[in-house]
Amino acid sequence: MQQAALFSVQPRAPQPDRLAAGERVATRLRGQIKGNIYTDPLMTYAWSGDASSYRLIPAVVVFVNSEDDVRAVFIAARAEGLPVTFRAAGTSLSGQAVTDGVLAVLGDGWRKLAIHPGAEQITLGPAIIVAEANRALKQFNRKIGPDPASQATCKIGGVVNNNSSGMCCGVAQNTYHTMARLRIVLSDGTMLDSSDAASRDAFRLSHADMLDGLHRLHHEVMADDELVALIRRKYRIKNTVGYSLNALVDFHDPLDILIHLMVGSEGTLGFVSEVTYNTVPEHPFKATGLIPFPDPQSAGRAIIEMANGGVHVTTGITAAEYIERRALATVEHLPPMAPLLPWLTDNSPAVLIDVTAPDAETLEVERQKTIDLLTRHGATHIDLSTDEQRSHALWDIRKGFFTSGGAARPKGTSMLTEDVAAPIERLADFVVDMRDLLDRHGYDDAIIFGHALAGNLHFQMSDNFAQAGAAEKFDALNQELSQLVSIRYGGSLKAEHGTGRAIAPFVEAEWGAKAYAIMHRIKALFDPERLLNPGVLLNDDAKVHIKNLKVMPLADELVDLCIECGFCEPACPSHHMTLTPRQRIAVTRERARMRASGEDPARLARFEADFQYAGMDTCAACNLCSLRCPVGIETGTMIMGERARRRGGTAHSVARFVADHRGAVETMMRGGVAVADAARILIPAPAVEAMT
């Protein structure tokens, strides 16, 4: 029975009409765009998942590299009745970068990076990785505001569209608040550059009705004191549930409202082709410590004081990451944790703290203030070190919790993650109630950690959606979670991961009917055809959050712990050429599932044949991916094993001959190289190159 459930959960290829529509979109686009276009079963499956627990197989995958490419995709998709979803790095955690329609993947044409004079601003294309931007700014002691834990992988397009924040960002330094300019393409193909006067003037003429609609929405909201109060309260803490309604309160000009509504819209309102950020200070002097507390309540009280009444600071305590005891247990074997182990009891959490300053003298003053605060609240071991290497090691542990926690799950299960926030003054109670909720719903392996200065907690756990009742169990948790976070605590059901499919059914419960209706009107103004990422952020299906859930069948013990986060992908030489390590693993799992089920032999045969080139021949087997993977998964080793299994008797005979006659083989090879060198003396180099 469990095996039958497994095979019914995993989504099949799109229906024939969608497949046909995908082929027609591909036909329309070939010759118009230079990027790769895929409609075959293997490559579309390879692009069917992001870092979330959802999987949808696109009808067609298209690489876009310019605004003209984006317009061409809009026209082709509209003509064939398929929706369009944009994908940057695919590190989305709420299912907003998957689709069964047209998946438009950002190519390298969007890799613009330009630092303005004085480094007070930086202009970025949506394919730039966050860490690349910060490396470029480091020499100026500046950085961009958003600092997600996935910053070594995630791209600017996703950061803007999810209004991502992170560990030091808080609310004040997210994209919404630090963006100086945005360049966008709407679903009708119109480009708007918010900093260009001519572009703004032309848009006011061409889209007067749209701007008038936003103007009316602004005045309706501002005339409702209760709604204004709700919006202001919701955005005092991190909040990515629904559209950025604060734009209707913070701005008067409809153009400014429009631009700020784009932030956090998850690709449902338009395409972001460029952003200019106001950079923020990155002070060079820092002290870091992982500070244990006797219990969650004392840690919570300390964090409440550290939060400084919600006022964001750039000098002093700039980061405080709450890590509960069960989360610490998953990493306590790592060397940087050794000094803390004597101080950890069965119930003691720890708080990872950064104290930063522009100079050494100020740092010492702030460091002493922090020590006094921690002492008052009962911290059991205080070590705020200025050792940069130790700081990096501790933060690497924190940034890798999503995947290291995922590696601790039972093999064959899916990694689930949620992301909530509550008013900081209630954090101590919130932590205790969250743990009680997870335990009562049977998620015994769940761990809690998060960006405590913003009242933002992450929790993750595992489950096997191949088993009967797993989806219903997850649904029950989400229903009670919605009541706890949104109603009882007045918090955010998604603080920074975006609404996606995961929270779409709960947006109205969090915001109320009046605000929810305004969100639908916003969608209608921008995208009346529902061409862009439908079902994400707003969805009438009350159970969409438990549909199209991933299963993780066992396929190879070398990679079974992979959670498909995508952290490995930037290091892969075949990235964007054929398959990435994450995609090789996903396809390997699907092949194993199909072999076990016996279903669709023709599809399996196509997978096996196409995987030879895309999965094996183009894998460098260098295992650079393992250096990016927080748990060191060696996809290259898996591929080398499969290559060995696929080799025939002749290949093995040759290998044995070479192994038994290495001296002779090396002599022949040296002779061949010598002949080639001699040939270059007699024959011009271009001719040698042409012949070889």
Side-chain angles (χ1 to χ4, degrees):
M1 290 297 294
Q2 289 183 1
Q3 195 173 40
L6 168 65
F7 306 136
S8 64
V9 171
Q10 189 80 343
R12 301 284 68 77
Q15 295 299 312
D17 57 339
R18 288 219 162 204
L19 286 173
E23 291 286 358
R24 293 194 297 270
V25 167
T27 299
R28 288 175 180 272
L29 292 175
R30 288 190 180 101
Q32 288 194 62
I33 66 175
K34 296 180 180 178
N36 291 333
I37 302 173
Y38 301 113
T39 57
D40 63 278
L42 184 137
M43 293 304 291
T44 53
Y45 188 87
W47 289 97
S48 65
D50 55 12
S52 74
S53 53
Y54 300 96
R55 188 180 302 285
L56 286 167
I57 303 174
V60 57
V61 178
V62 181
F63 277 72
V64 292
N65 288 283
S66 68
E67 290 177 350
D68 284 341
D69 285 357
V70 171
R71 293 187 184 94
V73 169
F74 286 160
I75 293 169
R78 181 180 290 113
E80 301 301 339
L82 289 178
V84 178
T85 295
F86 290 101
R87 178 184 174 115
T91 55
S92 303
L93 292 167
S94 299
Q96 55 268 65
V98 294
T99 181
D100 58 1
V102 179
L103 186 67
V105 181
L106 300 189
D108 288 337
W110 305 102
R111 291 185 50 77
K112 179 176 182 178
L113 190 159
I115 299 175
H116 297 221
E120 296 291 322
Q121 292 186 333
I122 185 171
T123 294
L124 301 168
I128 290 291
I129 294 173
V130 171
E132 293 175 343
N134 285 335
R135 277 196 295 271
L137 289 166
K138 187 174 178 60
Q139 62 181 310
F140 305 101
N141 290 328
R142 309 289 294 182
K143 63 179 181 178
I144 66 170
D147 62 334
S150 58
Q151 61 187 274
T153 305
C154 69
K155 296 180 179 178
I156 293 298
V159 168
V160 174
N161 277 285
N162 292 307
N163 199 22
S164 307
S165 45
M167 289 163 283
C168 301
C169 174
V171 174
Q173 292 184 347
N174 62 23
T175 297
Y176 181 93
H177 289 291
T178 59
M179 171 183 72
R181 160 188 170 267
L182 210 59
R183 183 180 173 104
I184 64 173
V185 180
L186 296 181
S187 63
D188 64 2
T190 303
M191 185 279 293
L192 170 62
D193 188 328
S194 68
S195 70
D196 182 89
S199 179
R200 290 172 68 100
D201 289 346
F203 194 87
R204 290 186 196 277
L205 291 174
S206 64
H207 288 69
D209 290 344
M210 180 184 186
L211 295 177
D212 185 56
L214 290 174
H215 186 66
R216 287 196 302 271
L217 275 179
H218 163 69
H219 282 285
E220 285 181 34
V221 170
M222 294 305 294
D224 188 328
D225 292 341
E226 183 180 351
L227 185 54
V228 170
L230 172 66
I231 292 170
R232 294 197 187 283
R233 176 174 63 77
K234 293 289 290 178
Y235 288 103
R236 287 194 187 101
I237 60 175
K238 287 186 180 182
N239 175 26
T240 58
V241 177
Y243 288 120
S244 299
L245 293 185
N246 46 342
L248 295 169
V249 172
D250 294 341
F251 300 96
H252 177 75
D253 188 329
L255 271 177
D256 293 332
I257 293 171
L258 184 156
I259 288 298
H260 285 82
L261 281 171
M262 287 291 299
V263 177
S265 62
E266 302 177 25
T268 65
L269 302 183
F271 175 76
V272 174
S273 60
E274 205 167 273
V275 60
T276 298
Y277 280 103
N278 295 317
T279 61
V280 302
E282 171 74 323
H283 290 322
F285 293 87
K286 180 168 68 173
T288 303
L290 185 55
I291 313 299
F293 284 84
D295 52 64
Q297 291 86 347
S298 58
R301 288 190 292 269
I303 291 164
I304 289 170
E305 184 174 345
M306 292 182 213
N308 194 36
V311 177
H312 191 91
V313 298
T314 57
T315 298
I317 300 174
T318 53
E321 293 287 303
Y322 177 86
I323 307 172
E324 72 160 3
R325 182 65 182 96
R326 293 195 208 182
L328 292 170
T330 67
V331 294
E332 63 182 30
H333 62 285
L334 298 175
M337 291 291 297
L340 272 79
L341 297 183
W343 306 95
L344 296 178
T345 68
D346 291 342
N347 192 41
S348 56
V351 182
L352 179 58
I353 294 171
D354 263 357
V355 181
T356 61
D359 54 70
E361 294 77 12
T362 305
L363 177 63
E364 185 53 36
V365 171
E366 295 297 335
R367 182 174 169 274
Q368 192 57 53
K369 287 182 185 178
T370 303
I371 291 172
D372 293 343
L373 184 156
L374 296 170
T375 302
R376 284 198 307 277
H377 290 283
T380 55
H381 177 64
I382 302 173
D383 178 16
L384 288 171
S385 170
T386 56
D387 182 339
E388 186 174 359
Q389 186 174 355
R390 175 161 176 77
S391 174
H392 286 315
L394 290 173
W395 278 105
D396 283 346
I397 290 174
R398 166 58 191 92
K399 292 173 184 176
F401 259 122
F402 177 60
T403 43
S404 61
R409 80 194 194 282
K411 291 183 178 180
T413 61
S414 295
M415 188 73 252
L416 308 174
T417 182
E418 298 296 337
D419 157 47
V420 296
I424 187 66
E425 62 273 12
R426 302 184 68 187
L427 180 65
D429 293 334
F430 189 47
V431 167
V432 175
D433 286 342
M434 283 300 308
R435 170 46 61 193
D436 175 66
L437 176 70
L438 292 166
D439 289 347
R440 282 191 292 103
H441 282 272
Y443 289 101
D444 301 325
D445 65 337
I447 60 173
I448 299 174
F449 53 91
H451 318 314
L453 292 183
N456 177 198
L457 296 178
H458 301 296
F459 61 93
Q460 62 188 54
M461 60 276 188
S462 64
D463 212 337
N464 186 351
F465 289 121
Q467 295 181 345
E472 290 77 8
K473 173 185 172 184
F474 187 50
D475 183 27
L477 172 73
N478 277 276
Q479 299 295 338
E480 189 172 344
L481 182 69
S482 173
Q483 290 298 307
L484 175 69
V485 175
S486 302
I487 309 303
R488 182 173 159 190
Y489 276 92
S492 306
L493 204 51
K494 278 292 180 184
E496 59 180 5
H497 290 169
T499 306
R501 287 173 169 77
I503 300 299
F506 304 99
V507 175
E508 184 173 7
E510 175 153 325
W511 275 100
K514 190 184 301 182
Y516 189 62
I518 288 172
M519 293 182 190
H520 276 282
R521 290 168 65 186
I522 289 168
K523 173 69 171 174
L525 283 171
F526 280 80
D527 182 28
E529 302 165 287
R530 300 184 71 82
L531 178 72
L532 303 178
N533 222 5
V536 166
L537 201 142
L538 301 177
N539 198 310
D540 295 331
D541 185 346
K543 299 298 180 182
V544 69
H545 61 295
I546 56 169
K547 294 181 178 179
N548 299 302
L549 292 166
K550 281 181 185 175
V551 295
M552 297 287 200
L554 300 179
D556 189 308
E557 62 180 10
L558 291 170
V559 299
D560 282 338
L561 285 177
C562 174
I563 58 172
E564 302 183 17
C565 65
F567 284 13
C568 57
E569 290 186 333
C572 180
S574 63
H575 182 47
H576 280 190
M577 182 179 78
T578 52
L579 296 180
T580 68
R582 166 167 61 174
Q583 292 169 333
R584 287 185 172 92
I585 292 170
V587 169
T588 296
R589 285 172 167 161
E590 177 66 353
R591 289 160 53 223
R593 188 197 66 77
M594 285 193 289
R595 284 196 295 267
S597 70
E599 69 179 66
D600 204 343
R603 182 170 180 257
L604 174 59
R606 178 73 185 273
F607 264 54
E608 298 288 12
D610 290 351
F611 192 70
Q612 178 66 50
Y613 174 75
M616 295 200 298
D617 293 350
T618 55
C619 176
C622 56
N623 279 330
L624 287 174
C625 49
S626 68
L627 302 180
R628 289 290 193 109
C629 175
V631 292
I633 291 172
E634 296 182 347
T635 308
T637 302
M638 177 192 75
I639 294 299
M640 286 190 287
E642 181 149 353
R643 285 172 179 166
R645 288 189 293 272
R646 289 199 179 197
R647 291 189 186 107
T650 301
H652 285 288
S653 297
V654 171
R656 283 193 293 270
F657 175 84
V658 171
D660 293 339
H661 303 84
R662 283 188 302 172
V665 171
E666 289 175 3
T667 300
M668 287 189 296
M669 291 176 66
R670 281 195 296 269
V673 172
V675 170
D677 284 341
R680 285 188 172 88
I681 298 173
L682 303 174
I683 305 172
V688 174
E689 290 177 8
M691 286 187 289
T692 56

